[in-house]
């Protein structure tokens, strides 16, 4: 159920979102965490790992891969790609059989 408070009093709605407001632990924001988040967002947006490597200035792709992690979005994209490949394979195999 959405909060009925006006926009200027959103803080009153913190109780509706678990982990928000006063109860949320403060996270330490560092240059490393910003860099990691930037790399993750680039990959989620579809930017290739090699391109991200160039942007971050890494000599090795292995270093770039450490900045990435499987998120819900990238995981769903991987599932979609695999499903598409399997569908194409099934169609091709069905035609040749």
């Amino acid at each position: 159920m959405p909060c009925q408070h006006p926009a200027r009093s959103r803080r009153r709605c913190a109780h509706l979102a678990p982990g928000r407001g006063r109860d949320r632990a403060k996270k330490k924001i560092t240059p490393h965490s910003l860099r990691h988040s930037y790399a993750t967002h680039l990959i989620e947006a579809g930017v290739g790992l090699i391109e991200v490597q160039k942007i971050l200035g890494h000599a090795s792709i292995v270093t770039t891969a450490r900045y990435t992690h499987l998120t819900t979005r990238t995981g769903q994209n991987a599932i979609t790609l695999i499903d598409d490949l399997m569908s194409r394979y099934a169609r091709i195999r069905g035609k040749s059989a």
Side-chain angles (χ1 to χ4, degrees), residues 9-24:
S9 62
R10 285 187 192 147
R11 286 178 284 160
R12 293 184 209 162
C13 301
H15 65 280
L16 297 175
R20 303 269 185 209
R22 289 178 293 207
D23 297 334
R24 189 171 88 182

Side-chain angles (χ1 to χ4, degrees), residues 45-79:
V47 177
L49 199 58
I50 293 174
E51 201 57 39
V52 174
Q53 175 189 6
K54 290 177 190 174
I55 292 168
L56 296 177
H58 292 153
S60 170
I61 196 72
V62 174
T63 305
T64 308
R66 289 184 191 143
Y67 279 88
T68 64
H69 57 281
L70 188 61
T71 63
T72 304
R73 187 180 302 166
T74 56
Q76 186 58 46
N77 289 346
I79 291 168

